[in-house]
């Protein structure tokens, strides 16, 4: 039976365009607002703890991050945070939601070269409105045959997506910067996983690479994907 790859799925944030750097810059601003209550390292730890607690309720994305900043501010100020501080945090969140989208090097020409040969599917998690906004602002939308914005990325999600928009997970490849979300569950579903590291990948997305798995590949640059698919053809 032909097991050649016919469908390629792509993560969005920090795979196609910059994302985590804006969270890091915002976290630094947030720490500055609360500098009189704790040092920067402690604030970062407390914020990460809040984010992890809230993932099941708020999901991934800027809105959940903003609510976690508010919760952390209330904790650090013992529920005495002034309204002006809450306003500043909300303003920071709005700025993040309106931030321009910056595609990463090599993304556009690589997608344009792959499009005629494969079904390209965008698979991203996070807030629906924000992800739709970023996709529209990126100008990449027309390069994908399908877009799936999901609440989380699991083996079952990849099985469903690659069955709906391709020839099943066994003939699909997933490309992304998160081992935990993009690579491990896709490989578990039977797909090829291509890991392209990003320097600022969120710590929650860290995991051990399945180096011994023959369906796992690591690339240094997005443009290297063209050579890989040629080698696997």
């Amino acid at each position: 039976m032909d097991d050649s790859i016919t469908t390629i799925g792509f993560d969005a944030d920090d795979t196609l365009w910059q994302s985590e750097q804006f969270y890091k810059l915002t976290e630094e601003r947030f720490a500055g607002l609360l500098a009189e209550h704790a040092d920067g390292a402690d604030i970062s730890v407390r914020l990460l703890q809040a984010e992890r607690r809230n993932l099941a309720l708020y999901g991934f994305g800027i809105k959940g991050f903003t609510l976690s900043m508010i919760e952390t501010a209330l904790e650090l100020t013992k529920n005495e945070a002034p309204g002006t501080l809450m306003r500043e945090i909300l303003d920071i969140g709005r700025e993040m939601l309106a931030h321009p989208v910056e595609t990463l090097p090599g993304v556009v020409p690589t997608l344009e070269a792959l499009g005629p040969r494969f079904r390209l599917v965008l698979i991203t998690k996070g807030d629906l409105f924000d992800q739709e906004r970023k996709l529209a602002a990126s100008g990449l939308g027309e390069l994908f045959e399908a877009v799936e914005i999901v609440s989380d990325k699991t083996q079952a999600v990849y099985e469903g997506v690659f069955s709906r928009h391709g020839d099943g997970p066994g003939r699909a490849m997933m490309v992304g910067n998160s081992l935990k979300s993009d690579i491990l569950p896709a490989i578990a579903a039977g797909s090829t996983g291509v890991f392209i590291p990003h320097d600022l990948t969120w710590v929650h997305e860290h995991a051990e690479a399945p180096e011994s798995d023959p369906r796992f590949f690591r690339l240094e640059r997005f443009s290297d994907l063209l050579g890989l698919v040629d080698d696997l053809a």
Side-chain angles (χ1 to χ4, degrees):
M1 179 169 42
D2 185 4
D3 60 354
S4 60
I5 291 170
T6 60
T7 306
I8 305 179
F10 292 89
D11 170 53
D13 293 338
D14 294 319
T15 298
L16 301 181
W17 53 66
Q18 294 283 8
S19 177
E20 186 62 18
Q21 70 175 19
F22 305 128
Y23 283 89
K24 291 296 184 184
L25 291 171
T26 300
E27 187 176 316
E28 291 174 5
R29 290 178 62 185
F30 176 67
L33 294 176
L34 291 164
E36 63 182 272
H37 300 281
D39 63 35
D42 185 43
I43 292 171
S44 294
V45 169
R46 299 284 286 274
L47 178 57
L48 178 60
Q49 291 172 343
E51 289 181 88
R52 285 175 165 164
R53 285 196 306 270
N54 291 330
L55 276 177
L57 294 173
Y58 306 147
F60 297 86
I62 292 171
K63 293 176 185 176
F65 180 67
T66 301
L67 290 170
S68 293
M69 284 194 291
I70 290 173
E71 181 178 317
T72 303
L74 290 170
E75 288 178 355
L76 290 173
T77 61
K78 297 180 172 56
N79 295 320
E80 295 181 356
T84 53
L85 176 58
M86 296 294 100
R87 172 58 62 188
E88 287 187 81
I89 294 172
L90 289 171
D91 287 344
I92 288 173
R94 288 193 181 91
E95 288 178 25
M96 292 182 73
L97 287 168
H99 202 283
V101 175
E102 177 187 347
T103 55
L104 289 165
V107 165
V108 173
T110 301
L111 292 178
E112 289 176 339
L114 292 171
R117 301 171 57 188
F118 303 92
R119 299 185 193 94
L120 305 187
V121 182
L122 181 67
I123 309 172
T124 181
K125 66 184 180 183
D127 179 78
L128 175 63
F129 293 143
D130 188 38
Q131 294 301 90
E132 286 180 336
R133 176 193 70 83
K134 287 190 284 189
L135 178 59
S138 72
L140 301 177
E142 64 182 18
L143 299 177
F144 294 97
E145 290 195 19
V147 175
E148 293 270 354
I149 300 174
V150 300
S151 59
D152 202 358
K153 293 177 177 176
T154 64
Q155 177 181 339
V157 165
Y158 286 116
E159 289 171 349
V161 170
F162 289 134
S163 294
R164 285 192 299 276
H165 303 297
D167 300 309
R171 299 187 66 184
M173 170 187 287
M174 182 62 194
V175 180
N177 72 296
S178 169
L179 287 165
K180 183 177 180 180
S181 293
D182 303 321
I183 307 305
L184 296 179
I187 289 177
S191 304
T192 296
V194 180
F195 176 51
I196 306 179
H198 187 282
D199 292 341
L200 297 176
T201 298
W202 187 29
V203 65
H204 180 76
E205 298 294 340
H206 291 181
E208 186 173 347
E211 301 287 357
S212 61
D213 195 305
R215 292 169 299 173
F216 172 75
F217 297 89
R218 181 194 300 263
L219 301 178
E220 293 302 316
R221 294 175 298 275
F222 195 90
S223 57
D224 292 342
L225 191 57
L226 294 174
L228 176 63
V229 297
D230 286 340
D231 290 343
L232 294 179

